[in-house]
Amino acid sequence: MKTTDKPILVEHLFDQSIERVWKAITQLDEMTQWFFDNIPDFEPVVGFKTEFTVQSEDRIFPHIWVITEVIPQKKIVYNWSYTGYNGDSIVTFELIEDGHQTKLRLTTKIVEDFPYEIPEFKWESCLAGWNYFIKDSLTKYLNT
């Protein structure tokens, strides 16, 4: 992913209240059930930082998340980077009330290029990952 790539945008409409979706995307015990199961700690508070490792094939990706903005039940923004890899991004989760449903709009904007030769850092890979997390994993979690 490069700064010249268009931002990644994934939207999905949930048959859930904003309060319910907000809880799923900001409470550690819920996040570990649909997002990454090894997130060690999480608080939806500006300045909060967490780190954890994800392995993909033979590569290890030490994630670093720093919360940069929180508007309860509306928006949470992470600075998302990886120890040992160039690159930096801003990930925004926005919740929009739509009748009795909630639209989640996820945007990933690249602010420093990631190594493009690594398959997991390609724009299409990132888009596929977010589609999986939001449209598949989170949807299944909220529907159980």
Side-chain angles (χ1 to χ4, degrees):
M1 298 175 293
K2 299 193 173 293
T3 57
T4 54
D5 290 338
K6 66 180 178 181
I8 289 172
L9 176 63
V10 174
E11 293 184 334
H12 192 71
L13 195 59
F14 295 94
D15 288 323
Q16 304 286 338
S17 68
I18 280 184
E19 294 81 11
R20 179 68 193 102
V21 178
W22 179 257
K23 189 175 177 193
I25 67 170
T26 62
Q27 299 300 307
L28 179 64
D29 62 328
E30 297 206 28
M31 294 169 70
T32 56
Q33 295 183 57
W34 68 268
F35 204 6
F36 292 102
D37 63 1
N38 63 336
I39 302 169
D41 199 12
F42 189 85
E43 295 178 31
V45 174
V46 171
F48 177 81
K49 179 180 180 179
T50 193
E51 299 181 37
F52 59 98
T53 300
V54 174
Q55 185 162 346
S56 175
E57 298 178 7
D58 60 344
R59 286 178 293 283
I60 294 175
F61 297 97
H63 288 56
I64 303 170
W65 293 351
V66 179
I67 305 303
T68 60
E69 183 180 357
V70 177
I71 302 172
Q73 299 185 19
K74 292 187 186 292
K75 178 166 51 169
I76 186 164
V77 182
Y78 304 7
N79 176 267
W80 187 315
S81 61
Y82 303 87
T83 301
Y85 295 95
N86 291 331
D88 200 2
S89 62
I90 303 296
V91 175
T92 303
F93 292 80
E94 293 178 87
L95 301 181
I96 302 145
E97 189 172 8
D98 190 345
H100 297 291
Q101 298 176 309
T102 300
K103 180 189 288 187
L104 187 152
R105 177 181 297 138
L106 180 126
T107 308
T108 299
K109 181 174 177 13
I110 306 308
V111 294
E112 180 187 329
D113 290 353
F114 287 90
Y116 210 70
E117 67 278 2
I118 297 175
E120 290 85 353
F121 290 141
K122 293 193 181 296
W123 187 90
E124 296 79 7
S125 178
C126 189
L127 177 62
W130 280 120
N131 274 317
Y132 165 75
F133 279 125
I134 302 302
K135 295 181 178 180
D136 185 32
S137 189
L138 181 56
T139 297
K140 285 179 184 174
Y141 174 71
L142 286 171
N143 288 336
T144 57

